[in-house]
Amino acid sequence: ARTMSGQHAGNIACCLCGVTTDANAAYEGMCASCTATQVDITDGIERSVEIEMCKQCNKWFRNPGWVPAELESAELLTLCLRKLRGLKHVRLVDASWVWTEHHSRRLRLKLTVARDLAGASGAAYMTCLQQSAVVEYTVHTRNCDACNKIAAKDTWSAKVQVRQRADHPRTLLALEQHMTKHQKSRVALREVKREGDGLDFYFGRRQDAHRFALGVCSLAPCRCKASSSLVAANARTGTSNVRHVWAIEIAPLCRDDLVLLPKGVAPSLNPLALVSRIGATVQLVDPSTGAAAALTADQYWRAPFAAVGSKRHLSGFVVIDCEPLRERGTRWAGEGTAPIASTLETQSAGAMPSPTGAAVGLASAAGGGRPGADRPSVAGSVSGSVAGSVVTSRGGRGGYVAPIWCPGEATVARATDFGANDTVLVARTHLSLLLEAGDEATGYDLEAIGHALDDPRVASGALLLPEVVLVAKQSAKQAARARERAAAGGRASGKARRE
């Protein structure tokens, strides 16, 4: 070896083993092998560390909060390394998990560290030393702040009350499935309770509850009222505990419901209509002409109406003949160009969202979503005065019209009468392109549910009702199940009569 002055440095014998080594590279007179055995660069690293885990939600404490991490994951490895002291004077080369029993409450890490040791001539000659060490973490369990609030009673700060007063809460079930699919909507949710005609959702923060209320209003036509109440106040610090409540009422309508429109609502349709879709708007279709219309939540709640026939009122029919009244591809008179709502539009400035009826995710309702999408908003003040319903920011067009809808005339017979008598019914339907002779369909028998049509227009004869309203075509499996249910009901009624 040559020094900085150009002179050659000699070799020395190792002070421990006597092996000849370079004098400049020797560390305290020792060779590289003896240096590795005698010098411990892991001496300053802690070998026993304590770490805290929540025993309820399995989150790990990282000051000042709690973070989720799975066992033996990269996130937990990063958290453990941050809590370890003594790594400032060495370089971390590798870190890996050492397997331990799950119930032992112990975590072990194998660390590989390196350090440069200066030789006899200072920084000009360095010896890189690499060693390994095992660090053991003792896991202590306690409840995190969120779990402490859940364990205590009445610690919520925001609540969303969702109600739907209908025969079958199908919209609430769809909301539950949507929340299951989108896990982000359940992150801030603390508790769900079944209350009467709906559900109560409890949140720890007002922002989370408000975002959830926006999401519900984007899934169905709703009207919302916001209120708040003061629980406690601290005059010394100027802080207060306020609880916020959003009361959301969902329109009592579901898909394929039969409705009798009030006078002045959707004048482009006949008063007797079907609900084709439920989303941010109520999509309606005239079963006699195939024309469609859409009602926003604001327009619906100004003149609300309930369903006169629901899923439990559906009956089975056998199609004898069906003939379309126009060819495929030609437009029906007035189709797609009719106004959407009634004369109430003059008060709402014609605002209406897109009528696609597609459900918007709970996360996108707070301001995300596709560009140009309609974003409903829930307005309310802290004092309790509420600007009632969902409002939209853009104008829209007519209701959703399926490409298979075509007005036609169908001759049908009741499934219960088919083969027993010669009673046939003639009805106008929008399913003429789907139905053929021999098919089975579901619909509303207005002679059976005529008692529900309590309307002055019907009583005075100003409104003539058809005998049947067809809703959908039944597949072979659906028809077989319907026949099995009807046969089982007939056997049960016959047994009751014999007894």
Side-chain angles (χ1 to χ4, degrees), residues 176-236:
E176 180 182 1
Q177 294 177 0
H178 189 84
M179 292 181 59
T180 304
K181 182 179 179 181
H182 298 80
Q183 299 292 335
K184 292 183 179 180
S185 61
R186 303 195 305 169
V187 172
L189 185 62
R190 290 189 174 179
E191 188 180 2
V192 181
K193 289 185 178 180
R194 180 80 180 185
E195 297 289 344
D197 298 330
L199 301 171
D200 287 351
F201 300 88
Y202 295 88
F203 297 87
R205 300 192 310 163
R206 176 185 178 276
Q207 297 87 339
D208 298 329
H210 188 209
R211 188 180 299 109
F212 182 81
L214 289 172
V216 174
C217 293
S218 67
L219 293 175
C222 308
R223 60 179 175 184
C224 180
K225 293 184 178 179
S227 61
S228 60
S229 59
L230 180 64
V231 178
N234 191 337
R236 181 178 180 181

Side-chain angles (χ1 to χ4, degrees), residues 98-107:
V98 178
W99 182 84
T100 56
E101 291 285 349
H102 178 69
H103 60 273
S104 64
R105 297 295 182 185
R106 296 292 187 275
L107 300 175

Side-chain angles (χ1 to χ4, degrees), residues 222-468:
C222 308
R223 60 179 175 184
C224 180
K225 293 184 178 179
S227 61
S228 60
S229 59
L230 180 64
V231 178
N234 191 337
R236 181 178 180 181
T237 60
T239 59
S240 60
N241 183 11
V242 180
R243 287 183 174 178
H244 304 272
V245 178
W246 281 265
I248 299 178
E249 183 179 358
I250 301 177
L253 299 177
C254 296
R255 185 180 177 183
D256 295 337
D257 283 354
L258 182 66
V259 296
L260 189 60
L261 301 177
K263 186 177 181 180
V265 175
S268 62
L269 306 182
N270 290 324
L272 197 64
L274 290 172
V275 179
S276 60
R277 285 188 177 187
I278 287 291
T281 58
V282 180
Q283 303 289 334
L284 303 173
V285 58
D286 190 341
S288 60
T289 63
L295 294 178
T296 64
D298 188 37
Q299 293 164 353
Y300 171 80
W301 288 110
R302 291 192 184 192
F305 52 89
V308 296
S310 60
K311 189 177 182 180
R312 63 188 182 92
H313 297 116
L314 290 174
S315 304
F317 296 91
V318 178
V319 180
I320 300 176
D321 187 21
C322 185
E323 181 180 356
L325 298 182
R326 65 178 173 89
E327 297 180 357
R328 181 192 291 263
T330 59
R331 292 180 58 86
W332 188 256
E335 179 179 320
T337 60
I340 302 307
S342 63
T343 53
L344 298 176
E345 278 192 345
T346 57
Q347 302 176 6
S348 60
M352 189 184 67
S354 175
T356 57
V360 183
L362 296 179
S364 64
R370 62 187 186 277
D374 303 302
R375 302 189 179 106
S377 61
V378 180
S381 61
V382 177
S383 62
S385 61
V386 178
S389 59
V390 183
V391 295
T392 55
S393 59
R394 297 187 60 188
R397 58 184 186 275
Y400 170 80
V401 178
I404 58 174
W405 290 350
C406 177
E409 191 173 274
T411 303
V412 299
R414 298 183 182 91
T416 56
D417 296 342
F418 191 72
N421 53 52
D422 297 334
T423 304
V424 295
L425 305 173
V426 179
R428 293 283 293 274
T429 178
H430 61 296
L431 306 174
S432 60
L433 295 180
L434 292 177
L435 301 178
E436 296 178 355
D439 291 341
E440 297 188 25
T442 57
Y444 294 101
D445 189 355
L446 297 189
E447 293 184 2
I449 63 173
H451 61 280
L453 301 174
D454 187 12
D455 190 273
R457 293 171 293 178
V458 179
S460 63
L463 178 60
L464 299 179
L465 299 178
E467 296 176 324
V468 61

